[in-house]
Amino acid sequence: MIKTLAVVPGDGIGTEVTDAALDVLQAVFQASGHTLKTESFLIGGASLDVYDTPINDQVVEACKRADAVLLGAVGGPKWDNLPPEKRPEKALLRLRKDLGLYNNLRPVKVIPALASASTLREEVVSGVDLLVVRELTGGLYFGLPKETVAHPQSNGERSVDTMLYHTFEIERIVRDAYEAARKRRSKLTSVDKANILATSQLWRKTVDRISKEYPDVVTEHMLVDNCAMQLVRNPKQFDVIVTENMFGDILSDEAAMLTGSIGMLPSASLGTGTALYEPVHGSAPDIAGKNIANPLATIASVAMMLRFSLDMPTLADVLENAIQKVLDDGYRCADLTQGALEIVGTREMADLIKGEALKHL
Ligand code: NAD
């Protein structure tokens, strides 16, 4: 089989973790007799430095043509003070919009070998296996107007962001979440702020209507503030959490810490066009260029890509089992020193995963 991959490493550790994950992916492709054609492009700060724009049209077109997109992370202090239209994050928002990526899947599974690495007590996190389904192209991040204007009456400025949802945007993400719940433990928690927000009232009404199509799935509603609390109080109660864009952004970072490090969490963004896979973490400028970033979130994102976009579920299993085995053997990156027998660098971790995966191909 021949597959094409558009790679957009971005900034900071984005380049290190995508290099590491690509190395693993190429190795398993070759070992199983397939061909992977990759093309790399600049986005984020790296693109701003060369092209004076966080992403150009050719990159978007190449991503649309590929079988899948692998993204690292964008941003860093060098580009923090640019005007809004030149912020590195604009590249992510444009890719999400232009590829129609409305469904962001963030699985959070506590691997037994890492249960003691969380800042929460082991008995609270061990056995956690949940999926955050985050709406990705609506809500506050995209709604208009979004602006800051002079406000002479108050002798300052006035800013507005707009939280906007249409019924169809809620319907499609909620249906996807129900389908995911059906393949898991058949429980759906819909998170909103329906006691205050009009968009949340529409969200809740829509979930109630669609829930009738899924009588086999248990549906519950939870206010976002309560969900933030329940995630650290009793995270094992959750199977699938579905929520709007900003709530999902915040809750999934909180959920990341159940696993011990944000360097462990993969994600997939699916929708109407080519799907995109990326670690949940950012560009981590504090550790960039030191070969200490944990590449496992990106390697696990590649496993999701093998399953959802490349139709190679067996290779996905091989990679996920390799991650588990290497952790069971006591190898860790510097973000997870608890219980480690040996601390290894980014490249060395990728080599360990590759070596373990190749034993099973
Ligand atoms: P971050 O995720 O980059 O880092 C948070 C903390 O986690 C840091 O201490 C970092 O060293 C650590 N960390 C993150 N990934 C790690 C890994 N793989 N291995 C080991 N440790 C890891 O978030 P931040 O510090 O808030 O943001 C840094 C930059 O990244 C900012 O410019 C921000 O805008 C950007 N960002 C980008 C994305 C994205 O591209 N999707 C997401 C979040 C933040």
Side-chain angles (χ1 to χ4, degrees):
M1 233 187 292
I2 300 177
K3 298 287 182 183
T4 58
L5 182 60
V7 185
V8 280
D11 307 310
I13 64 167
T15 54
E16 297 169 63
V17 293
T18 47
D19 277 357
L22 265 185
D23 192 27
V24 175
L25 185 61
Q26 280 291 10
V28 296
F29 253 71
Q30 278 167 20
S32 45
H34 303 300
T35 303
L36 180 68
K37 294 187 175 169
T38 65
E39 243 189 310
S40 279
F41 303 94
L42 300 179
I43 58 159
S47 172
L48 278 161
D49 286 353
V50 177
Y51 302 116
D52 197 33
T53 173
I55 186 163
N56 62 40
D57 295 346
Q58 291 88 320
V59 179
V60 177
E61 289 311 312
C63 290
K64 283 185 182 168
R65 284 194 306 272
D67 290 318
V69 181
L70 178 65
L71 189 142
V74 297
K78 182 175 176 193
W79 307 282
D80 272 352
N81 298 317
L82 293 173
E85 69 282 6
K86 290 213 166 152
R87 298 273 313 181
E89 296 79 18
K90 278 277 168 196
L92 305 182
L93 298 183
R94 168 128 192 241
L95 276 177
R96 287 170 191 167
K97 209 58 177 176
D98 287 10
L99 298 178
L101 304 173
Y102 67 85
N103 175 357
N104 184 224
L105 299 175
R106 296 181 166 197
V108 178
K109 192 169 180 175
V110 174
I111 295 176
L114 293 184
S116 63
S118 172
T119 46
L120 297 181
R121 284 202 314 274
E122 192 168 341
E123 66 264 29
V124 175
V125 297
S126 69
V128 164
D129 179 4
L130 61 89
L131 175 70
V132 180
V133 179
R134 168 188 169 195
E135 201 292 325
L136 205 57
T137 51
L140 267 182
Y141 296 4
F142 288 96
L144 296 175
K146 172 189 280 301
E147 61 186 10
T148 299
V149 292
H151 191 249
Q153 299 91 317
S154 64
N155 211 15
E157 291 173 299
R158 171 184 172 280
S159 285
V160 59
D161 293 295
T162 303
M163 192 151 184
L164 178 72
Y165 271 105
H166 295 95
T167 305
F168 79 93
E169 294 174 293
I170 304 170
E171 277 173 351
R172 63 185 179 185
I173 190 78
V174 168
R175 280 212 171 82
D176 286 0
Y178 270 112
E179 293 295 333
R182 260 190 179 157
K183 294 190 190 111
R184 293 172 49 97
R185 300 190 305 280
S186 295
K187 181 175 176 195
L188 184 92
T189 306
S190 171
V191 175
D192 60 37
K193 189 72 184 166
N195 52 342
I196 310 261
L197 298 175
T199 44
S200 282
Q201 284 150 14
L202 179 62
W203 184 280
R204 195 173 277 216
K205 190 167 78 177
T206 308
V207 171
D208 279 338
R209 177 163 46 78
I210 294 175
S211 69
K212 299 193 174 63
E213 297 166 26
Y214 296 89
D216 50 319
V217 177
V218 174
T219 303
E220 69 175 7
H221 297 287
M222 195 176 277
L223 294 175
V224 63
D225 36 355
N226 186 24
C227 184
M229 186 176 75
Q230 295 299 333
L231 272 172
V232 288
R233 196 184 75 85
N234 176 18
K236 273 179 260 191
Q237 70 185 284
F238 295 110
D239 178 15
V240 174
I241 293 174
V242 63
T243 191
E244 67 87 41
N245 202 343
M246 184 178 67
F247 297 163
D249 191 4
I250 297 168
L251 293 176
S252 58
D253 269 26
E254 184 190 359
M257 284 316 292
L258 303 172
T259 66
S261 169
I262 197 162
M264 289 299 300
L265 276 218
S267 82
S269 301
L270 315 174
T272 53
T274 311
L276 181 147
Y277 299 83
E278 60 179 318
V280 167
H281 62 73
S283 58
D286 52 335
I287 58 167
K290 297 181 179 161
N291 190 42
I292 56 174
N294 186 346
L296 292 180
T298 316
I299 296 172
S301 303
V302 161
M304 293 181 85
M305 176 196 295
L306 286 163
R307 183 164 287 122
F308 295 132
S309 288
L310 304 184
D311 201 17
M312 296 173 161
T314 313
L315 290 187
D317 287 344
V318 166
L319 278 194
E320 282 165 359
N321 292 339
I323 292 173
Q324 180 128 1
K325 176 71 169 64
V326 167
L327 291 169
D328 283 347
D329 288 347
Y331 295 101
R332 306 276 191 278
C333 285
D335 55 329
L336 283 167
T337 49
Q338 178 100 6
L341 294 180
E342 189 174 339
I343 304 292
V344 296
T346 312
R347 293 240 41 101
E348 293 71 27
M349 181 56 92
D351 286 344
L352 286 163
I353 302 292
K354 187 165 68 178
E356 183 56 36
L358 292 182
K359 284 185 207 164
H360 301 275
L361 292 171

